[in-house]
Amino acid sequence: MVNYIFDGTFDGLMTVIYEAYYSHQHPNDIFSEINHQINFLGHDVFVSTDIDKSNKVQHAIETKISNKALRNIYYAYLSELESSYMLIYRYIRLGFKIGKKIDYFIQNDIVHEVTKLSQKVRHEAYKMIELIRFKEVKKGLFIAKIHPDYNVLPIIMPHFAERFQDQYFIIHDEKRNLSAVYDKKAWIITDIPLQDISNMKDTEDYEILWKMYHKSISIEERKNLRLQRQHMPKKYWDMLTEKQ
Amino acid sequence: MDLLKKIRILADAAKYDVSCSSSGSDRENKNSGIGNASFYGICHSWSEDGRCISLLKILFTNICIYNCSYCVNRCSNDVERALFTPEELADITINFYRRNYIEGLFLSSAVYKSPDYTMELLIKTVKKLREEYNFNGYIHLKAIPGADVNLIRLAGLYADRMSVNIELPSEKSLKLLAPQKTKESIIKPMSFIHNQLMEKSESKKLMRRTDKFVPAGQTTQLIIGATPESDRTILKLSENLYKYYDLKRVYYSAYIPVFNDNNILGMTSPPLLREHRLYQADWLLRYYNFKADELLTEEEPNFDVSLDPKINWAMKNLNLFPVEVNTADYNMLLRVPGIGLRTANRIVKARKAAYLNYDSLKKLGVVLKRAKYFITCNGKYYGECEIETDKIKNKLLPKRNVIEGQLSIFDIDNTLNNLPIIV
């Protein structure tokens, strides 16, 4: 029984899976080195990320289990919960045993946990797609700030890159200090700090128009603030132009 | 007049139109332009009444030649009036869209000068958006009753969805409250759009590429409670609209008294709960294979508002229950209160992998609070009372009798939670 330590990347986690399988050393636990304190009692194994091995594992998951399983694994990983790594390991083991059937084996606790976690991450990604607000900080450059519970930038970027093909934009994750940058051709996620992002302002007046629209479209006789909060949780209000 | 004022007046005047959906179209972002449409629709905000804001829902103008008494924009009403230009509207749409405020535009209008003239203004706006701004986001256009069919055809080439609002659920009520509109002027554009859609789907079989014509189909809206029609009349009308005109949605709008008028029943607050029950029944028609006649009879033409329509139906058909979740067929599962579309799907799949026990039902998304009275699991009944109407009803009725304000779909009926996102 060993503890596997990896660099925190998805490829790193997949490499751990590879090593655990081929060395026949079942993990006691799996840690990301970002959070892990070296434990003198246990037996720690540092796994260095290997893209080839990662690709092999991902390919095996896709062919021997299913595409849906691979997506569940990736989304569960993006939750960044320390407990998710072992959960993912157990899920993959089960998947290699029972195959595609895992997709509807929801009665099983491991499958249920992974599915639930994956759903939570997907749900928050969807909320971001709905609620992100861009500001045009310079002619033709749009910036949005977010602080999601989970690391959803990689999930939402394809959506915005497809949609805003003709504009430069940046989505900045304040919690993780990551910025997703799109240059009208492709997007990347980087941790290079942005300048002066704290007090950026929209250079045009559309925010005022939007607030007016938001107020006018509501029907007073049907007022229901609870329902509004249910769809637009308060923790995201600081992102919303109409709530400022 | 400045833009801020125009938005205030013309958004306010558009707010009684219920539809704000952006689903049903998968228009791509071509030529590296701006925008695309998401097939499942995306909401971007919620207003203080809890309704979703997906589109910039606005009138081109509220200056109207008609005098329909249910309508706030009627010409004899003393309200502020405003009129956009196509340039202004296109510019606001694009700039809201770039900031991720909206999914597209829902453009409607009062009848300004004439139906044809108004329709031309709407077309000019969307043409500008599509051709000058290279905009591929969602556009919902109102077909102005009485406008020339050639204009409606042209509009349909730019729009993702079109709608003609029936508003009043019978011809008699229409004559009473909107004497200048006729049934003919509403049904004509509706059936024209329907025929065009059928023609397009025919020509798709023959040609490799055809122009898109309202790919997200057409919808309509009915006002609830301004006139005395029963739930049954309304639901039968909807059923026929789905059947004969292939509508994507019928929206129901609880009537909100806009001012005192002799024509309108003395009402104070909008019948929100009734509206909610009609929506639930509408869902049962479209996704659960129910018929209007099964839900409401001539003897009982209105819903018992204290229970949702599916439970209402189950109560009247207790002889069909309980059903065994491990063996019941899909269609019967769908009819169990507390089991929705997605849950029924999951059950059918999951029981292939292993026998379902009572605990696993919760993981699959069954709302046991309601379902337990109507199912058995491995032969065991968990309802804790006999299968009799009164006893079950007693357990199902909410503790509080008064429910105020607009209801949240998710509180009242979790089965709706399991639907694809259609807003």
Side-chain angles (χ1 to χ4, degrees), chain B residues 290-307:
Chain B
F290 277 90
K291 300 265 173 295
D293 281 332
E294 290 180 278
L295 296 170
L296 293 165
T297 57
E298 269 176 51
E299 296 77 47
E300 277 181 75
N302 290 304
F303 286 115
D304 172 357
V305 288
S306 63
L307 291 172

Side-chain angles (χ1 to χ4, degrees), chain B residues 335-354:
Chain B
R335 297 199 159 213
V336 177
I339 296 182
L341 279 181
R342 202 180 287 177
T343 309
N345 269 323
R346 281 201 204 118
I347 290 175
V348 172
K349 279 184 181 160
R351 67 191 183 187
K352 279 187 204 155

Side-chain angles (χ1 to χ4, degrees), chain B residues 366-378:
Chain B
V366 177
V367 185
L368 290 170
K369 198 168 72 179
R370 283 194 297 282
K372 65 178 176 186
Y373 305 103
F374 305 97
I375 55 170
T376 58
C377 193
N378 291 319

Side-chain angles (χ1 to χ4, degrees), chain B residues 8 17 30 109 380 398:
Chain B
R8 175 170 60 74
D17 222 305
K30 44 185 196 284
S109 182
K380 193 168 179 323

Side-chain angles (χ1 to χ4, degrees), chain A residues 4 100 144 156 178 225 228 235:
Chain A
Y4 286 99
K100 199 176 157 30
I156 63 176
L178 294 174
L225 295 173
Q228 185 192 32
K235 62 178 173 185

Side-chain angles (χ1 to χ4, degrees), chain A residues 91-104:
Chain A
Y91 178 76
I92 293 174
R93 273 191 74 91
L94 181 67
F96 282 148
K97 215 158 94 189
I98 66 171
K100 199 176 157 30
K101 225 162 72 174
I102 203 170
D103 286 351
Y104 45 85

